[in-house]
Amino acid sequence: MIYQRSSQLFAEAEKVIPGGVNSPVRAFKAVGGTPIFVKSAKGAYLYDEDGNRLIDYINSWGPMILGHAFEPVVEAVIAKAKLGTSFGMPTELETQIAALAVAMVPNIDKIRFVNSGTEACMSAIRLARGFTKRDKIIKFAGCYHGHSDSFLIQAGSGAVTFGTPNSPGVTAGTAKDTLLARYNDLENVAALIGANKNEIAAIIVEPVAGNMGCVPPNKGFLEGLRQLCTDNGILLIFDEVMTGFRLARGGVQELFNIKADIVCFGKVIGGGLPVGAFAARAEIMNYLAPLGPVYQAGTLSGNPLAMAAGFAMLQALDNDRAIFQRLEEKTAYLAAGIDKVLKANNVVFTINRIGSMVSVHFDEAPVVDFQTAAKGDNETFKKFFHGLLQEGIYIAPSAYETWFITDALTYEDLDYTIQAVDKVSKTF
């Protein structure tokens, strides 16, 4: 495939946008080459500026669970845009989507909408600190919760891709209140709690990690976190920006039957538009202004276009309960096919999968945390990425990202992908 137009556009973008991209994860720094510029998308496919069609396995990093340009979402946005794009005042639609989200997700009474997953996680931490009157938080190496200062102490995803897990611009004063733990390691968490008795406000975790590849929790890990939090007066925050409304109707809380104190959302809840949200039981949420002392605000929060897209998406998921089973079956089919051809070609690898999230790691050891994820062979991943791209398949340009499966993918698409993996892996 030829990507001449994309290369030209990237050169133009570099003149006026830092690095030529508005989010570092879109850059090809980790794999080499220049980013692909998209012109349109429909269903499971991207169409770039050079006229190439690509089978899409990032799906806008998760939101396009029902495929690109999903008709009910498109129609809802168009209809709402004709009535006005922003008011800075309450609308009935905000209450409607809030009520639906609360009905779908266990253990939440109230929800507040913001504009991104980063904003949701940042606000959840502030709320937890205000509610508990404690300052410190625990996060996990390799889990990414956005680019707020409190989280850029050792991040996964883009920050690791660039080899800068400790971001300049984050003050020492901020860093001292964030404690780093190892994912899937309860003893490590317990030790941190013991060393900081009555100082920790919250533990924030991706209950299924997606920023070091897909890394599911070990059996008992989330249950252990819940118990440690309960025993020590700590709030448990699930960052379900990726997993919310994707792995189950009610997210990971439903999937594993574990209660978090605060849950953060993004991606699917916005139907592809910029939306985030955080939710909890009323006792906690009532600490937010204007009811309580914890301040949080946003001029465009609850934007009518974003609310229309999110409401249409959640309605579609709520009305079609079988979608999560279909996604599970398609992802399992894809993972089994890739596993078969990589083994046949004597490639050293491991595959992680849960629900509609999957990742291929080029190392034979199990990938259970950031340390094991980092052992993957990045040179092999580069060949894998570019080989698939030449076959018309787009995966994330980083070994530290999960693939997101969409219901719009057909089994013909999956078979083609498996065949392409077979062809590419023969060249390793």
Side-chain angles (χ1 to χ4, degrees):
M1 289 189 175
I2 299 174
Y3 297 102
Q4 183 176 358
R5 177 65 176 151
S6 282
S7 295
Q8 293 171 346
L9 289 171
F10 183 58
E12 294 172 13
E14 285 185 296
K15 298 174 184 176
V16 290
I17 300 172
V21 293
N22 280 312
S23 183
V25 76
R26 300 173 191 170
F28 276 24
K29 289 285 188 181
V31 293
T34 57
I36 306 301
F37 278 62
V38 178
K39 189 171 186 177
S40 65
K42 180 65 178 176
Y45 312 119
L46 301 169
Y47 300 89
D48 71 13
E49 290 284 356
D50 287 282
N52 300 307
R53 191 194 81 165
L54 301 170
I55 299 175
D56 185 15
Y57 284 102
I58 64 165
N59 286 287
S60 191
W61 306 95
M64 302 310 180
I65 191 170
L66 300 178
H68 291 281
F70 181 60
E71 204 63 38
V73 169
V74 172
E75 291 174 356
V77 172
I78 291 172
K80 190 57 67 175
K82 290 179 178 179
L83 301 176
T85 58
S86 182
F87 310 120
M89 298 168 65
T91 64
E92 181 183 14
L93 186 55
E94 292 169 79
T95 304
Q96 291 173 331
I97 185 174
L100 179 55
V102 167
M104 293 174 73
V105 178
N107 199 44
I108 64 172
D109 300 319
K110 295 185 178 182
I111 186 169
R112 177 162 284 180
F113 286 92
V114 291
N115 298 292
S116 69
T118 291
E119 194 178 334
C121 292
M122 175 187 73
S123 302
I125 287 295
R126 182 182 301 161
L127 177 58
R129 284 172 165 154
F131 183 79
T132 62
K133 298 177 175 59
R134 298 174 178 180
D135 292 337
K136 293 183 179 181
I137 64 169
I138 292 176
K139 75 171 292 287
F140 294 87
C143 285
Y144 180 72
H145 308 291
H147 62 274
S148 175
D149 283 3
S150 293
F151 304 128
L152 288 184
I153 310 305
Q154 184 171 332
S157 191
V160 169
T161 298
F162 291 105
T164 56
N166 298 295
S167 176
V170 177
T171 68
T174 299
K176 73 177 177 59
D177 287 330
T178 300
L179 307 172
L180 292 172
R182 289 189 294 272
Y183 194 77
N184 275 324
D185 189 338
L186 284 174
E187 289 186 7
N188 180 233
V189 177
L192 286 173
I193 293 173
N196 297 272
K197 207 70 175 172
N198 301 320
E199 294 184 78
I200 299 169
I203 295 176
I204 186 168
V205 63
E206 288 181 274
V208 172
N211 287 280
M212 42 187 163
C214 173
V215 181
N218 287 343
K219 186 176 181 180
F221 176 62
L222 297 180
E223 292 86 348
L225 289 182
R226 175 66 275 171
Q227 192 61 52
L228 284 169
C229 287
T230 300
D231 292 345
N232 292 278
I234 297 168
L235 296 186
L236 178 60
I237 302 175
F238 275 4
D239 175 355
E240 292 219 50
V241 169
M242 285 187 178
T243 59
F245 308 103
R246 169 169 280 279
L247 295 187
R249 178 176 175 269
V252 171
Q253 288 193 103
E254 175 189 321
L255 190 65
F256 293 129
N257 191 29
I258 298 171
K259 293 181 178 180
D261 295 300
I262 305 177
V263 189
C264 301
F265 300 106
K267 313 292 187 187
V268 173
I269 202 173
L273 270 69
V275 180
F278 59 106
R281 60 185 184 271
E283 176 191 12
I284 296 173
M285 293 302 284
N286 288 347
Y287 256 70
L288 283 173
L291 289 178
V294 176
Y295 194 74
Q296 182 277 324
T299 300
L300 292 178
S301 295
N303 173 270
L305 301 188
M307 295 294 93
F311 190 45
M313 178 65 76
L314 293 193
Q315 282 182 310
L317 296 175
D318 192 42
N319 292 333
D320 184 5
R321 306 291 179 91
I323 182 176
F324 301 103
Q325 183 60 35
R326 293 200 303 272
L327 285 166
E328 167 83 24
E329 290 170 356
K330 288 181 179 181
T331 310
Y333 182 89
L334 177 65
I338 293 175
D339 181 270
K340 182 178 179 180
V341 298
L342 290 182
K343 283 179 178 174
N345 293 324
N346 297 312
V347 177
V348 174
F349 76 100
T350 187
I351 294 178
N352 281 1
R353 180 186 70 83
I354 184 169
S356 57
M357 296 168 62
V358 64
S359 57
V360 181
H361 304 262
F362 292 104
D363 189 75
E364 60 186 351
V367 175
V368 298
D369 55 19
F370 176 67
Q371 288 81 2
T372 48
K375 293 179 180 178
D377 185 342
N378 285 330
E379 290 306 311
T380 298
F381 179 81
K382 291 177 186 179
K383 296 175 184 177
F384 187 63
F385 172 82
H386 283 289
L388 290 182
L389 189 59
Q390 285 302 310
E391 296 299 318
I393 296 166
Y394 192 76
I395 63 172
S398 166
Y400 293 100
E401 299 290 349
T402 186
W403 302 18
F404 294 102
I405 308 304
T406 170
D407 195 43
L409 284 162
T410 66
Y411 279 90
E412 288 76 18
D413 295 325
L414 301 178
D415 284 335
Y416 177 82
T417 302
I418 293 165
Q419 292 163 11
V421 170
D422 185 28
K423 178 179 178 180
V424 171
S425 63
K426 283 181 166 66
T427 67
F428 292 170

